[in-house]
Amino acid sequence: MSAGRVDDYGYLADGRTGALVSRDGSVDWWCPARFDAPSVFARLLGDDGGHWWIRPAGEFQVERSYLDDTLVLRTVFRTEQGSVAVTDALALDPEARGHDIGRNPPGLLLRLVEGLSGHVPMLMSYAPRFEYGRVRAYLQPHGETSISRATGSTLGMTASVPVRHEGIDASASFTVDPGRREAFSLSHSSTYHQREPMAVDVPAALADTVAGWRSWTAEHSYTGLYPQLVRRSALVLQGLTYQRSGAVVAAATTSLPVRPEGHDNYDYRYVWLRDFSLTLRVLSIAACPKESERLFRWIAEAIGEVGMDPIPIVLGVEGERDLSERELDELTGHVAVGPVLLGNDAWRQRQQDALGQVLDAAWLLRERLEPMPDDIRRLLRSLAEQAAGTWRMPDSGMWELRGEERHYVSSKVGCWMALDRAVRFGRVLADAAELARWAAVRDEIHASVLENGWNPRVGAITGAFGSDRLDASVLVMPLIGFLSAADPRMRATIDRIDRELTTDGLVRRWPDDSAGFVICSFWLVGCLALAGERDRATALFERLTERSNDLGLFAEQIDPDTGDQLGNLPQAFSHIGLISAAWRLTAAATGRPTPVTAVI
């Protein structure tokens, strides 16, 4: 069997990496050491990538859900013989912040099969493939554990049922009756720091993991509209967090295509400053404020003080800078659409809007940064100085287009935001003369954008100076306070984007984009809410949230014709958009004051 549609996958997380489980019970993606480490299961990207499935032997129907307030997945298979449930989880990393999960080792995948009714024949197929399928290691029985070692890693699969070893793979056949439970676990460790294979109490480890997730969600403080949707998206963002550093990756996967012909496949298992700063803001709305404070410190440590050279707009989860991109020939790609890429050459780009994103996040968190530490003050000052000194330069823009740099409106607006927030900090960051200089440059940027971004022939603000192409990135302008949604130029732009880039509520980034970009669609919700069209914004929001998969997960894009999720999953940007839009609708419905800070 081949990998299913992107919509078919559920997501598991443990505080350092994630796994994807298909509707038919197959773990098709897991990079156990950390998000961007080599995989041991990668059938998601090709049949030879490795898998571990457990499912009924005959035909079945599926219902699945997460256990409340967790990323623990429960899949119920219904067959002619009866029904059975499979509960899947990654045991929370024992170093995950704030949780006492001492009995579970790191790198532990848990699977519990429970008979619900009848007598259901089950099958298991275990086929690990190290290094994205490039390395195959023979299985060696070790008591009840099947051991594989390769490339410095050790996998130990334990099952409560008899297992057949078949060269490099293993399989099992068993039957479950009502009340009967069969337990499976898979541990990962470094071969050179070898643990003895240990017996895992799977039900107890699952209970620990559930308790760990719920102890985190108990700290949520969101009281606005759509609380369950916001809670789920906040959990997804938490599940994309590398807890040891506090970094939040853009997505848990690489190379899931956004178009049938491929080409735009990218590795998103890294930390973009833009996405990360937006995550800080929405977590301050949806969850415990302590999380956003801790995560901001990671930005300061990872970036350090900067000059006029481009800031590192994308980093590894422990602050790595060099993310050089390479193509993996051994895998054909998801549904045979390549290429499969490791690394991301966006690390070489200049993206000016990131300057504003970081300063805006700091402005939102200012009360939790008092008194402001010297390293954060130096960082914010240097970002403001870079915005003032480089805003006239072209860059690659927030969509990271490769090739010739341009004067993107969203990048200029990001520089404006950097200086606007720096000026708002006042004497905390600079003396009166510096503040006056920053304010003057800020106002110069504002005037330049309105003069050069507005295209009278198009009747809208376009994506770049001198361009006639619509670009949904300009929808951020009212959301960050650059231009009122009621301003005639902004209002005309919103209407034009709604009319020409939107299909059934899904907003494409530009006219020739092939699918709706999820966060752009949520930006339109926010713009409509700010323009006073609350009913229309609410209807659009509810239509968008119905487009998630059955577990509430969003990828990067959605095909407006088929409704299929496209791109890497789960996508932080998309879930950020949902939380922000819910907050905007709450503010519009309740009359709560909207803070100056951007929540986009």
Side-chain angles (χ1 to χ4, degrees):
M1 298 181 67
S2 299
R5 299 159 55 244
V6 172
D7 305 68
D8 290 337
Y9 285 95
Y11 180 60
L12 314 177
D14 62 2
R16 65 176 187 171
T17 189
L20 266 62
V21 186
S22 68
R23 287 181 61 85
D24 59 2
S26 185
V27 181
D28 285 347
W29 182 254
W30 190 35
C31 303
R34 66 183 218 180
F35 287 104
D36 58 347
S39 68
V40 296
F41 301 131
R43 192 177 69 152
L44 182 72
L45 298 177
D47 291 345
D48 294 331
H51 67 266
W52 185 23
W53 54 255
I54 301 173
R55 63 170 70 105
E59 294 184 358
F60 53 82
Q61 295 180 331
V62 172
E63 297 175 9
R64 59 183 182 167
S65 62
Y66 285 115
L67 301 187
D68 289 345
D69 293 333
T70 76
L71 290 182
V72 176
L73 179 63
R74 187 173 189 266
T75 303
V76 176
F77 297 97
R78 302 192 185 280
T79 74
E80 291 184 354
Q81 295 82 15
S83 59
V84 61
V86 179
T87 302
D88 294 316
L90 287 176
L92 284 176
D93 187 335
E95 296 184 25
R97 178 178 172 270
H99 304 304
D100 180 13
I101 317 291
R103 77 181 92 180
N104 296 331
L108 181 61
L109 179 55
L110 307 168
R111 315 198 72 178
L112 182 66
V113 180
E114 301 175 88
L116 302 178
S117 66
H119 308 280
V120 183
M122 301 289 293
L123 298 176
M124 182 205 76
S125 173
Y126 173 67
R129 300 289 187 268
F130 293 80
E131 294 271 0
Y132 306 101
R134 290 178 290 191
V135 180
R136 304 183 177 203
Y138 283 97
L139 292 177
Q140 301 174 344
H142 185 97
E144 293 184 352
T145 304
S146 301
I147 301 292
S148 300
R149 292 189 178 95
T151 65
S153 295
T154 296
L155 289 177
M157 191 273 288
T158 300
S160 62
V161 301
V163 171
R164 298 183 299 273
H165 293 100
E166 302 161 349
I168 61 176
D169 300 336
S171 63
S173 303
F174 57 100
T175 299
V176 288
D177 305 322
R180 179 178 173 183
R181 300 199 296 185
E182 301 293 356
F184 302 80
S185 66
L186 179 60
S187 63
H188 170 268
S189 63
S190 169
T191 300
Y192 306 110
H193 299 86
Q194 180 61 35
R195 306 189 294 261
E196 286 299 316
M198 60 178 293
V200 176
D201 184 337
V202 171
L206 281 171
D208 282 347
T209 297
V210 169
W213 281 112
R214 289 176 177 168
S215 71
W216 183 80
T217 54
E219 299 176 343
H220 283 215
S221 56
Y222 179 78
T223 58
L225 299 175
Y226 307 103
Q228 293 304 316
L229 295 174
V230 169
R231 202 177 186 91
R232 172 56 52 198
S233 286
L235 270 172
V236 172
L237 293 176
Q238 186 72 2
L240 292 170
T241 302
Y242 183 74
Q243 292 288 350
R244 296 181 181 189
S245 67
V248 182
V249 297
T253 57
T254 179
S255 304
L256 292 182
V258 296
R259 59 182 74 235
E261 65 272 21
H263 307 304
D264 290 338
N265 297 358
Y266 297 112
D267 191 347
Y268 278 1
R269 299 173 297 161
Y270 305 109
V271 187
W272 271 257
L273 287 188
R274 178 186 307 106
D275 304 40
F276 190 67
S277 299
L278 293 172
T279 302
L280 297 182
R281 294 198 280 273
V282 298
L283 285 180
S284 73
I285 297 168
C288 176
K290 295 178 183 177
E291 289 295 325
S292 39
E293 178 185 0
R294 182 174 75 98
L295 300 185
F296 189 83
R297 296 308 301 264
W298 184 85
I299 289 183
E301 293 171 3
I303 299 178
E305 190 167 357
V306 299
M308 292 298 112
D309 292 331
I311 62 171
I313 56 93
V314 58
L315 300 157
V317 295
E318 293 183 354
E320 297 88 351
R321 300 289 182 95
D322 187 344
L323 307 178
S324 296
E325 191 172 287
R326 64 191 190 277
E327 187 170 339
L328 186 66
D329 295 329
E330 287 80 0
L331 294 174
T332 59
H334 182 69
V335 295
V337 177
V340 174
L341 298 177
L342 306 178
N344 196 305
D345 278 345
W347 73 278
R348 305 176 189 273
Q349 292 185 345
R350 179 186 293 272
Q351 296 179 20
Q352 301 278 63
D353 72 292
L355 303 168
Q357 302 291 0
V358 176
L359 267 154
D360 186 60
W363 174 249
L364 174 64
L365 299 171
R366 62 193 180 279
E367 293 181 359
R368 292 186 281 279
L369 297 176
E370 294 179 354
M372 184 177 287
D374 288 341
D375 58 339
I376 294 179
R377 179 182 294 105
R378 288 194 299 269
L379 169 66
L380 299 181
R381 282 176 51 85
S382 62
L383 293 179
E385 281 295 325
Q386 183 169 132
T390 66
W391 74 270
R392 294 182 181 85
M393 297 178 64
D395 72 347
S396 298
M398 70 159 55
W399 304 134
E400 303 184 342
L401 297 178
R402 301 187 179 189
E404 183 180 357
E405 295 180 336
R406 300 190 66 182
H407 292 279
Y408 290 102
V409 168
S410 59
S411 299
K412 310 302 182 188
V413 168
C415 290
W416 172 89
M417 181 164 62
L419 293 167
D420 181 75
R421 293 351 180 217
V423 170
R424 291 179 186 279
F425 270 111
R427 299 300 289 268
V428 172
L429 288 190
D431 60 28
E434 288 174 306
L435 292 171
R437 178 169 56 86
W438 288 347
V441 178
R442 175 199 62 189
D443 296 343
E444 183 182 0
I445 297 172
H446 196 275
S448 178
V449 169
L450 294 183
E451 178 182 355
N452 298 297
W454 172 259
N455 186 319
R457 296 188 309 277
V458 178
I461 299 168
T462 56
F465 287 4
S467 172
D468 60 0
R469 187 166 80 156
L470 290 174
D471 189 322
S473 65
V474 303
L475 290 175
V476 305
M477 295 169 72
L479 303 180
I480 67 171
F482 181 91
L483 192 63
S484 168
D487 181 277
R489 292 159 294 189
M490 195 68 238
R491 183 70 237 199
T493 302
I494 294 169
D495 289 343
R496 192 75 183 266
I497 288 173
D498 188 30
R499 187 168 63 251
E500 297 189 18
L501 296 187
T502 305
T503 302
D504 196 21
L506 294 171
V507 180
R508 291 169 289 133
R509 288 173 292 177
W510 43 72
D512 56 351
D513 208 3
S514 59
F517 208 82
V518 176
I519 196 170
C520 295
S521 306
F522 283 121
W523 287 344
L524 181 56
V525 172
C527 288
L528 292 173
L530 287 172
E533 296 193 48
R534 195 177 80 198
D535 291 343
R536 188 174 163 205
T538 298
L540 175 58
F541 177 86
E542 293 178 353
R543 185 165 42 176
L544 288 170
T545 57
E546 290 173 355
R547 290 183 175 274
S548 70
N549 78 354
D550 58 320
L551 296 171
L553 301 179
F554 281 105
E556 182 180 36
Q557 300 188 48
I558 297 175
D559 187 318
D561 297 324
T562 66
D564 290 347
Q565 302 276 333
L566 302 171
N568 289 301
L569 179 86
Q571 184 82 12
F573 228 20
S574 301
H575 290 276
I576 288 166
L578 184 152
I579 295 173
S580 300
W583 178 84
R584 291 283 179 188
L585 291 172
T586 298
T590 61
R592 294 181 186 177
T594 302
V596 171
T597 186
V599 181
I600 64 174

